[in-house]
C-alpha cells in the first residue's frame, strides 16, 4: 500500500479522499490555486503546494506541474478525484511514464470511453444495447441535420468528449437544429477543448439509471448496484438515490450483468460507472461510461457499507477487490442532493459571493455532509458552484425521504443565493414521493417546484422584531457592565417611561421577484416581553436565545424556534425549512440603474462569447442580443421589448463583471 498520495483536485472530493487516506494511514499531498490558499482541503492535507492562478487552466489543469510536485513530495500515486484531469488519458499516461501510479483505470480504457461515439462502437460490438443515433466523424452541420431528420425528432446533441451535462442540447425540430448545434459546439469546445458532437434519438420519458462497477488487476469484476439520477437541470444531476425505485428484480440483475460486460469489453480496472437510459417499457440503452469516481458515489456507500475510495486505493496498489459479487448486498435506501450556489428561479444561474453564515446538520449514521466549504469561504466564477453534498440513509425509501426533508430544512446558508428551497420542493413533491421519475421531471413539475415566493407573514415579522430587540438588549447589557454605574436608570433596557407607553418602530424591506415590499412594525415594551403591531394584527411575544444562538419564541402562547443570521443590517431567517431575507432601511437599494430597462446588465461575472446584433439594429421582444459564458454555462441576453440596440459596450472575448452594462437599449414607443 502507498505511504503518500497526491490529490490532484480541490473542494469536497479532495476532502473526501483525505478522510479515507487518513483512516488507512496514508499521508496526503494537496495542491491548490491562489484562490484556494486557505481552502479546507489545503488545511486537512499533510502538506500542500501552490499550483498557480485562480483559473483552472492556470492551476488544477497544469498536468506537468502536478507531476513535478508528486515527484518532489515523494508521492507514490495521484488520485485525480473527478473533473479536471480525472479522465485525461494523456495525464494518466504521463503518470505511468514518470513511475507515479494513476489511481484510475488503464490508459486504453480512458481512451476508449473518452469519446462517446467511439464508446458506442465498442459497446455495439460487445452486444450492449444502444439508442439509435449517428456517432461518426462527419461534423458538417448540414450533414448532421440530415442525420437528425433521418433519426426523427426530437434528437439529443451531445459532445463526444463531454460529461457533467456540458455540451448537450435537445432539438425538437429541423428549424432550430443549426442554432442549437452551434451553441452545443461552443460549450463543448470551451469545456473539453473538442467541439465534436453525436446525434441520438431523444427518448421522451426516460430515466437515468447507472451502475457502479469495480474491477481489479486480477480479472475480478463486480457491480455495486444501481443509482437513479433522473432529476436533472441542464442535464446535470440534482438529486440521486440508491437503489433505483420501481425496477423489476430481473431487470436490476440484467443491468448489473450488462455493466460488467461493458467493463470487461475495455479491460477496465478501478471505479467506473456505466450509465443507461431506462425506458418506461423496462428496456435500457447504454449512454456512456465514466472512468472515474462520481459525485454521487456516497449513496452507493450508504446502501452497501463500503468505502469506494478505499477500494480505489486497494486496486491501484495491486490488491484484489475486497468483496466478491455474492458478498455484496443492498441495505436500506439513500438520497443525495447537491447544494449549489445558484438561483433556480433564474434558470439556475450560478451565484458568486462570500458564504457569511453556514450551518449543516451533524453527521450521524443517517446523515452525512460532504463539503470542502466553510463559513466565510468565497464562491467564485472559477470553479463549480457546489457548496456541499447532503446524503441521508434509512431502512426504506419513505423513511429516507423524511430524513432528507428534515436534513435540508436544517441547512442554513446566508450571504448568497442557494438552491435549498428548490431541493426541499423536490423532496416534498407528490410525483417524486410516488416515484414518478424521468429526466424531464423538473420541466414537467415546474409549477409545483417553482412556487411564487411568499412575503414574510406576521409570525416571521414578529420573530424578526423580537430578534432585533433581544440583540439590542444584549448589546446594551454588555455596554452597561462596562460603565461605572450599571444600575443607573439611563442604562436600563426595559423601555420604562413615566406615564407613557414606550414603543419602538421598525421597518423591514424584502424583495420578492424584483419588487420591494415594506413592512412597518411597532414594538411595545411590556412587563413580560413585547406587544407587536404588524399588518393590523397585535400579538404578544417573548423569547430567548439558546447557547447555540437558536431563537426560541412564544407568540400568543405558541412556542416556536428559528435561526437568524444577521449580516450588517440584513436578516436571513431560517424557519421550518423556509428562508426569508429582510433588510432594514439603511440597506434599501436606491440605485436606479438596475431598474432601468434601457440598460441590459451582466447577471454575473463572465465572458462575451457571441454578439448576435449590431448597434442601430431593430429587434423584437425576446430576440437574443449576445451570449455570455460563466462557470462553463451559456447565458443569453435577450431584448426586454421591441426596440433598438443603441450601443454594445463589449466585444467578443472580453471579460465582464457582474452588473456591468452590456447593451444600451431603447424600447419602441407605443402608438
Amino acid at each position: 500500500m502507498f505511504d503518500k498520495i497526491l490529490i490532484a483536485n480541490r473542494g469536497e472530493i479532495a476532502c473526501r479522499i483525505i478522510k479515507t487516506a487518513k483512516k488507512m494511514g496514508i499521508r496526503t499531498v494537496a495542491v491548490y490555486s491562489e484562490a484556494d490558499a486557505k481552502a479546507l482541503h489545503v488545511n486537512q492535507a499533510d502538506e500542500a503546494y501552490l499550483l498557480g492562478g485562480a483559473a483552472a487552466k492556470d492551476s488544477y489543469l497544469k498536468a506537468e506541474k502536478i507531476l513535478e510536485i508528486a515527484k518532489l513530495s515523494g508521492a507514490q500515486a495521484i488520485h485525480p478525484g473527478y473533473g479536471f484531469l480525472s479522465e485525461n488519458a494523456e495525464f494518466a499516461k504521463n503518470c505511468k511514464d514518470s513511475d507515479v501510479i494513476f489511481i484510475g483505470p488503464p490508459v486504453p480504457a480512458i481512451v476508449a470511453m473518452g469519446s462517446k461515439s467511439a464508446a458506442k462502437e465498442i459497446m455495439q460490438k460487445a452486444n450492449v444495447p444502444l439508442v439509435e443515433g449517428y456517432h461518426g466523424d462527419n461534423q458538417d452541420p448540414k450533414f448532421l441535420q440530415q442525420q437528425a431528420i433521418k433519426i426523427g425528432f426530437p434528437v439529443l446533441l451531445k459532445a463526444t468528449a463531454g460529461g457533467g451535462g456540458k455540451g448537450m442540447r435537445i432539438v425538437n425540430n429541423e428549424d432550430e437544429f443549426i442554432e442549437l448545434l452551434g451553441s452545443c459546439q461552443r460549450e463543448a469546445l470551451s469545456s473539453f477543448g473538442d467541439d465534436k458532437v453525436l446525434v441520438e434519438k431523444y427518448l421522451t420519458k426516460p430515466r437515468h439509471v447507472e451502475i457502479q462497477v469495480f474491477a481489479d488487476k486480477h480479472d475480478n469484476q463486480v457491480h455495486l448496484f444501481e443509482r437513479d439520477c433522473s432529476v436533472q437541470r441542464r442535464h446535470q444531476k440534482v438529486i440521486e438515490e440508491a437503489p433505483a425505485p420501481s425496477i423489476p428484480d430481473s431487470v436490476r440483475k440484467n443491468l448489473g450483468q450488462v455493466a460488467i460486460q461493458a467493463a470487461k469489453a475495455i479491460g477496465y480496472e478501478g471505479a467506473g460507472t456505466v450509465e443507461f437510459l431506462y425506458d418506461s417499457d423496462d428496456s435500457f440503452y447504454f449512454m456512456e461510461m465514466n472512468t472515474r469516481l462520481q459525485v454521487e458515489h456516497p449513496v452507493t456507500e450508504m446502501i452497501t457499507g463500503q468505502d469506494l475510495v478505499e477500494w480505489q486505493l486497494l486496486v491501484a496498489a495491486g490488491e484484489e477487490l475486497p468483496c466478491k459479487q455474492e458478498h455484496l448486498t443492498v441495505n436500506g435506501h439513500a438520497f443525495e442532493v447537491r447544494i449549489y450556489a445558484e438561483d433556480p428561479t433564474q434558470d439556475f444561474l450560478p451565484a458568486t459571493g462570500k458564504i457569511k453564515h453556514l450551518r449543516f446538520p451533524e453527521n450521524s449514521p443517517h446523515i452525512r455532509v460532504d463539503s470542502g466549504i466553510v463559513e466565510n469561504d468565497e464562491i467564485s466564477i472559477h470553479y463549480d458552484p457546489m457548496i456541499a453534498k447532503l446524503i441521508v440513509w434509512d431502512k426504506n425509501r419513505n423513511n429516507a425521504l423524511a430524513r432528507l426533508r428534515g436534513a435540508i430544512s436544517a441547512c442554513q446558508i446566508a450571504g448568497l443565493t442557494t438552491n435549498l428551497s428548490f431541493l426541499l420542493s423536490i423532496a416534498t413533491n407528490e410525483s417524486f414521493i410516488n416515484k414518478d421519475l424521468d429526466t424531464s421531471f423538473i420541466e414537467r413539475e415546474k409549477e409545483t417546484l417553482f412556487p411564487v415566493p411568499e412575503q414574510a407573514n406576521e409570525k416571521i415579522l414578529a420573530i424578526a422584531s423580537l430578534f432585533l430587540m433581544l440583540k439590542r438588549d444584549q448589546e446594551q447589557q454588555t455596554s452597561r457592565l462596562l460603565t461605572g454605574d450599571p444600575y443607573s436608570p439611563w442604562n436600563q433596557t426595559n423601555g420604562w417611561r413615566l406615564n407613557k407607553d414606550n414603543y419602538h418602530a421598525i421597518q423591514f424591506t424584502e424583495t420578492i421577484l424584483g419588487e420591494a415590499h415594506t413592512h412597518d412594525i411597532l414594538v411595545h415594551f411590556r412587563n413580560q416581553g413585547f406587544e407587536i403591531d404588524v399588518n393590523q394584527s397585535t400579538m404578544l411575544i417573548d423569547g430567548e436565545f439558546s447557547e447555540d444562538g437558536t431563537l426560541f419564541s412564544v407568540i400568543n402562547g405558541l412556542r416556536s424556534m428559528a435561526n437568524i443570521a444577521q449580516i450588517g443590517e440584513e436578516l436571513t431567517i431560517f424557519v421550518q425549512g423556509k428562508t426569508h431575507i429582510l433588510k432594514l432601511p439603511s440597506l434599501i437599494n436606491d440605485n436606479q440603474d438596475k431598474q432601468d430597462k434601457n440598460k441590459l446588465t451582466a447577471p454575473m461575472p463572465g465572458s462575451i462569447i457571441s454578439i448576435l446584433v449590431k448597434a442601430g439594429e431593430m429587434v423584437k421582444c425576446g430576440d437574443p442580443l449576445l451570449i455570455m459564458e460563466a462557470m462553463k454555462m451559456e447565458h443569453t441576453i435577450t431584448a426586454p421589448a421591441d426596440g433598438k440596440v443603441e450601443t454594445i459596450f463589449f466585444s467578443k472575448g472580453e471579460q465582464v463583471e457582474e452588473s456591468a452594462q452590456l447593451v444600451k437599449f431603447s424600447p419602441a414607443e407605443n402608438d
Side-chain angles (χ1 to χ4, degrees):
M1 181 47 65
F2 313 115
D3 297 317
K4 182 187 287 189
I5 63 171
L6 182 146
I7 301 165
N9 217 298
R10 65 179 299 279
E12 59 87 15
I13 186 56
C15 295
R16 164 72 189 88
I17 296 165
I18 291 170
K19 180 179 179 181
T20 290
K22 284 186 175 180
K23 180 184 72 174
M24 297 175 68
I26 301 171
R27 292 176 60 81
T28 55
V29 179
V31 290
Y32 63 95
S33 69
E34 291 174 354
D36 280 340
K38 297 181 180 179
L40 186 61
H41 77 280
V42 175
N43 293 327
Q44 289 185 345
D46 294 299
E47 51 191 284
Y49 293 81
L50 176 66
L51 283 171
K57 66 181 178 60
D58 298 324
S59 52
Y60 298 104
L61 293 176
K62 294 179 71 174
E64 291 184 6
K65 178 74 171 178
I66 290 171
L67 267 172
E68 287 176 11
I69 293 171
K71 300 293 283 187
L72 176 66
S73 66
Q76 299 146 311
I78 294 178
H79 196 309
Y82 43 70
F84 295 138
L85 298 170
S86 61
E87 294 178 286
N88 187 308
E90 184 178 357
F91 178 66
K93 180 180 182 301
N94 290 341
C95 287
K96 184 177 181 179
D97 293 343
S98 301
D99 294 323
V100 176
I101 293 175
F102 178 77
I103 302 174
V107 172
I110 300 175
V111 172
M113 295 296 101
S115 166
K116 287 184 170 60
S117 54
K120 289 178 186 293
E121 291 179 10
I122 294 171
M123 293 304 148
Q124 189 172 31
K125 292 177 182 177
N127 296 318
V128 175
L130 300 176
V131 176
E132 180 185 3
Y134 174 74
H135 314 125
D137 294 328
N138 191 335
Q139 294 291 295
D140 178 74
K142 289 296 183 182
F143 175 82
L144 292 176
Q145 186 179 45
Q146 289 303 312
Q147 294 301 308
I149 295 170
K150 180 180 177 181
I151 295 166
F153 291 98
V155 297
L156 179 67
L157 298 174
K158 188 186 302 182
T160 64
K166 305 291 195 305
M168 295 177 68
R169 299 291 186 274
I170 299 169
V171 185
N172 291 300
N173 55 65
E174 180 180 352
D175 293 339
E176 63 183 22
F177 184 89
I178 298 298
E179 178 184 347
L180 290 177
L181 173 64
S183 176
C184 179
Q185 290 174 325
R186 286 192 300 271
E187 189 170 89
L189 187 62
S190 172
S191 299
F192 314 111
D194 185 348
D195 64 357
K196 186 178 178 183
V197 303
L198 56 80
V199 187
E200 287 184 341
K201 179 67 179 175
Y202 181 72
L203 304 181
T204 55
K205 199 176 179 182
R207 289 166 60 184
H208 182 137
V209 176
E210 60 189 34
I211 302 288
Q212 177 72 63
V213 296
F214 249 96
D216 62 22
K217 302 178 188 297
H218 308 280
D219 199 29
N220 297 309
Q221 300 89 18
V222 300
H223 69 81
L224 290 91
F225 313 105
E226 80 285 347
R227 304 183 284 251
D228 189 294
C229 310
S230 299
V231 180
Q232 304 177 3
R233 92 291 189 265
R234 291 182 166 181
H235 304 289
Q236 193 170 40
K237 301 160 189 174
V238 175
I239 181 169
E240 303 98 1
E241 60 180 300
S246 304
I247 293 181
D249 288 342
S250 60
V251 179
R252 291 182 197 277
K253 184 177 180 180
N254 195 19
L255 276 164
Q257 290 173 342
V258 170
I260 290 177
Q261 190 176 321
K264 285 183 176 180
I266 57 171
Y268 202 75
E269 294 173 11
T273 304
V274 186
E275 303 194 351
F276 297 96
L277 288 175
Y278 182 84
D279 215 350
S280 54
D281 62 357
D282 293 330
S283 60
F284 57 87
Y285 307 94
F286 174 84
M287 184 165 53
E288 63 182 341
M289 183 176 184
N290 288 296
T291 54
R292 54 174 167 78
L293 195 67
Q294 286 199 259
V295 179
E296 59 273 19
H297 76 273
V299 291
T300 296
E301 293 183 324
M302 296 291 263
I303 65 166
T304 61
Q306 304 298 325
D307 183 333
L308 299 191
V309 174
E310 181 178 354
W311 279 42
Q312 284 188 293
L313 296 172
L314 292 171
V315 169
E319 299 186 24
E320 291 194 21
L321 292 176
C323 292
K324 301 292 186 182
Q325 189 67 60
E326 58 268 25
H327 300 143
L328 292 165
T329 58
V330 172
N331 176 31
H333 201 96
F335 288 96
E336 174 182 298
V337 294
R338 305 183 187 196
I339 302 173
Y340 273 96
E342 65 182 14
D343 188 350
T345 66
Q346 299 295 320
D347 194 26
F348 300 96
L349 184 73
T352 58
K354 181 177 286 188
I355 297 179
K356 299 179 180 178
H357 174 86
L358 182 65
R359 301 289 184 276
F360 291 127
E362 291 186 6
N363 284 327
S364 73
H366 291 279
I367 297 174
R368 165 177 163 181
V369 179
D370 285 8
S371 180
I373 298 292
V374 296
E375 193 168 276
N376 290 319
D377 275 356
E378 191 92 15
I379 302 297
S380 74
I381 65 170
H382 301 293
Y383 315 116
D384 186 271
M386 187 167 69
I387 297 171
K389 302 184 309 194
L390 174 65
I391 309 103
V392 301
W393 174 91
D394 213 313
K395 61 184 179 180
N396 58 49
R397 189 177 191 270
N398 285 340
N399 289 9
L401 198 49
R403 295 267 185 194
L404 179 63
R405 291 191 285 266
I408 294 172
S409 298
C411 294
Q412 304 170 28
I413 304 174
L416 42 63
T417 304
T418 74
N419 65 341
L420 279 172
S421 295
F422 175 70
L423 295 175
L424 189 59
S425 293
I426 295 175
T428 56
N429 176 272
E430 286 298 320
S431 294
F432 188 80
I433 293 170
N434 294 328
K435 311 171 191 175
D436 183 9
L437 305 172
D438 65 83
T439 55
S440 298
F441 177 86
I442 291 176
E443 178 65 23
R444 172 164 55 86
E445 297 291 325
K446 62 182 179 181
E447 289 188 8
T448 57
L449 296 179
F450 301 95
V452 177
E454 299 177 357
Q455 292 186 43
N457 58 29
E458 288 82 0
K459 177 182 175 181
I460 298 298
L461 296 171
I463 289 173
S465 301
L466 174 65
F467 174 87
L468 289 178
M469 298 308 293
L470 292 180
K471 280 290 185 182
R472 171 179 174 271
D473 183 62
Q474 284 182 343
E475 292 168 0
Q476 293 191 357
Q477 292 278 9
T478 301
S479 177
R480 185 180 65 181
L481 292 174
L482 296 176
T483 66
D485 185 7
Y487 301 104
S488 166
W490 306 114
N491 289 319
Q492 298 304 304
T493 61
N494 57 12
W496 181 86
R497 294 291 187 275
L498 180 64
N499 298 324
K500 187 176 182 181
D501 174 45
N502 183 43
Y503 63 87
H504 190 77
I506 300 175
Q507 184 184 78
F508 291 118
T509 298
E510 65 176 332
T511 302
I512 305 291
L513 297 179
E515 183 177 350
H517 302 269
T518 300
H519 305 285
D520 293 303
I521 296 102
L522 291 180
V523 181
H524 304 269
F525 291 86
R526 294 294 178 256
N527 290 333
Q528 185 66 34
F530 307 93
E531 181 179 292
I532 293 184
D533 296 332
V534 53
N535 294 344
Q536 299 181 338
S537 296
T538 300
M539 56 191 78
L540 293 173
I541 185 170
D542 194 10
E544 61 183 359
F545 293 111
S546 66
E547 289 185 4
D548 66 359
T550 300
L551 175 59
F552 288 91
S553 61
V554 180
I555 305 176
N556 291 341
L558 177 63
R559 185 173 174 83
S560 61
M561 60 177 287
N563 292 94
I564 301 178
Q566 183 170 8
I567 302 168
E569 298 300 313
E570 179 178 278
L571 303 183
T572 303
I573 304 165
F574 307 95
V575 58
Q576 296 180 341
K578 295 184 178 180
T579 302
H580 298 273
I581 299 176
L582 301 176
K583 295 180 181 180
L584 293 173
S586 60
L587 279 197
I588 296 175
N589 185 4
D590 293 324
N591 184 353
Q592 296 300 309
D593 282 352
K594 289 188 177 181
Q595 301 177 23
D596 187 347
K597 292 185 178 180
N598 292 355
K599 297 181 177 181
L600 301 179
T601 59
M604 65 178 300
S607 61
I608 306 298
I609 63 171
S610 182
I611 298 175
L612 307 173
V613 294
K614 297 179 180 179
E617 187 173 334
M618 300 300 296
V619 294
K620 296 289 186 182
C621 179
D623 282 354
L625 306 181
L626 56 82
I627 301 174
M628 283 185 62
E629 182 188 67
M631 295 182 177
K632 294 185 179 179
M633 294 184 182
E634 290 190 3
H635 306 280
T636 302
I637 307 298
T638 60
D642 293 354
K644 182 180 180 182
V645 176
E646 296 286 354
T647 309
I648 301 172
F649 293 101
F650 292 92
S651 302
K652 181 178 177 180
E654 284 194 80
Q655 294 287 322
V656 298
E657 296 297 323
E658 182 177 1
S659 300
Q661 185 179 358
L662 304 175
V663 177
K664 182 178 180 181
F665 178 80
S666 295
E669 295 183 5
N670 294 325
D671 294 333

